[in-house]
Structures are given as C-alpha cells and as structure tokens.
C-alpha cells in the first residue's frame, strides 16, 4: 500500500560556476514499512517520485531529462522526501487526535 504526497522543495544547481536556484513541485508516493515474516523479508519504506515540475522565479521551466532523472533518483533527495512524508504523517495524526479531543469535549457539554 502506498500513500501519495505533494511538496515544494528548493534546489540549488551549480553549473560552470553559475548557481541557479530552482523551486521543485514534487508529487511522490511512499510505500509503507512491512516487518519481516516467516516467509517474507522486511520491506523498508521506499519513495517513488511521480512528477517533478520545475520553477524559476515562479515561471515553470522545462529541464533536460537527464537532470530530472538525476534529481528524482538521488538518494539524498529521496531521503528528504521520506522525512517530509514522516512530518506530514505526524502532523495528520496530531490533527486527528486534536479533532477527537474536541469532539469528546463537546459531547460532555450539558447543552
């Protein structure tokens, strides 16, 4: 089972001494961790980049395929996406817990 996420990330590209700052609009999926069983090995969480849109100064630009591949296959980039997904999951769990506490509190009101 996978969960789909969306994030925006900055990226600094250095080419021939020129630094170019890009903004990445990323859609990605994260597979859930699966513990080892008697018949199956452990499967750690993994990330698959589905789409990257690239912007410079809020204008969408097309980057070469090799650069798109280099970004989406980078272990560091994938690690940052896994951290982003974990942060979003934690925030969603906290929001759900807060909403549950509010509903329970409202149910206890006398009116």
């Amino acid at each position: 089972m996978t969960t789909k996420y969306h994030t925006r990330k900055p990226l600094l590209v250095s080419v021939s001494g020129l630094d170019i700052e890009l903004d990445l609009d990323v859609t990605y999926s994260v597979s859930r961790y699966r513990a080892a069983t008697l018949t199956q090995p452990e499967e750690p969480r993994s990330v698959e980049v589905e789409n990257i849109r690239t912007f410079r100064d809020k204008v969408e630009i097309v980057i070469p395929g090799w650069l798109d591949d280099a970004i989406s296959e980078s272990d560091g980039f994938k690690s940052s996406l896994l951290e982003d997904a974990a942060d979003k999951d934690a925030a969603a769990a906290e929001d759900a817990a807060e909403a549950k506490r509010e509903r329970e509190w409202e149910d206890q009101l006398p009116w």
Side-chain angles (χ1 to χ4, degrees), residues 49-106:
V49 177
E50 295 181 7
N51 185 36
I52 298 177
R53 293 176 59 203
T54 312
F55 296 85
R56 181 157 187 225
D57 298 326
K58 298 183 181 182
V59 176
E60 187 168 8
I61 60 170
V62 177
I63 60 174
W66 64 267
L67 182 55
D68 185 73
D69 292 343
I71 294 167
S72 63
E73 294 303 319
S74 164
D75 289 338
F77 185 66
K78 287 183 176 183
S79 292
S80 74
L81 293 178
L82 284 172
E83 289 174 15
D84 181 71
D87 291 346
K88 288 180 178 183
D89 290 345
E94 179 58 34
D95 289 347
E98 179 65 26
K100 181 180 178 185
R101 285 190 293 271
E102 287 179 10
R103 281 192 309 274
E104 290 172 351
W105 182 78
E106 288 173 357

Side-chain angles (χ1 to χ4, degrees), residues 8-86:
R8 292 178 186 254
K9 292 206 167 279
L11 178 69
L12 182 64
V13 179
S14 295
V15 180
S16 302
L18 177 65
D19 291 338
I20 302 168
E21 188 170 329
L22 302 173
D23 294 311
L24 304 178
D25 188 48
V26 185
T27 303
Y28 63 100
S29 297
V30 175
S31 65
R32 296 200 183 275
Y33 168 82
R34 290 190 184 146
T37 65
L38 292 175
T39 59
Q40 297 292 323
E42 172 188 59
E43 292 181 32
R45 289 180 81 178
S46 63
V47 64
E48 180 180 331
V49 177
E50 295 181 7
N51 185 36
I52 298 177
R53 293 176 59 203
T54 312
F55 296 85
R56 181 157 187 225
D57 298 326
K58 298 183 181 182
V59 176
E60 187 168 8
I61 60 170
V62 177
I63 60 174
W66 64 267
L67 182 55
D68 185 73
D69 292 343
I71 294 167
S72 63
E73 294 303 319
S74 164
D75 289 338
F77 185 66
K78 287 183 176 183
S79 292
S80 74
L81 293 178
L82 284 172
E83 289 174 15
D84 181 71

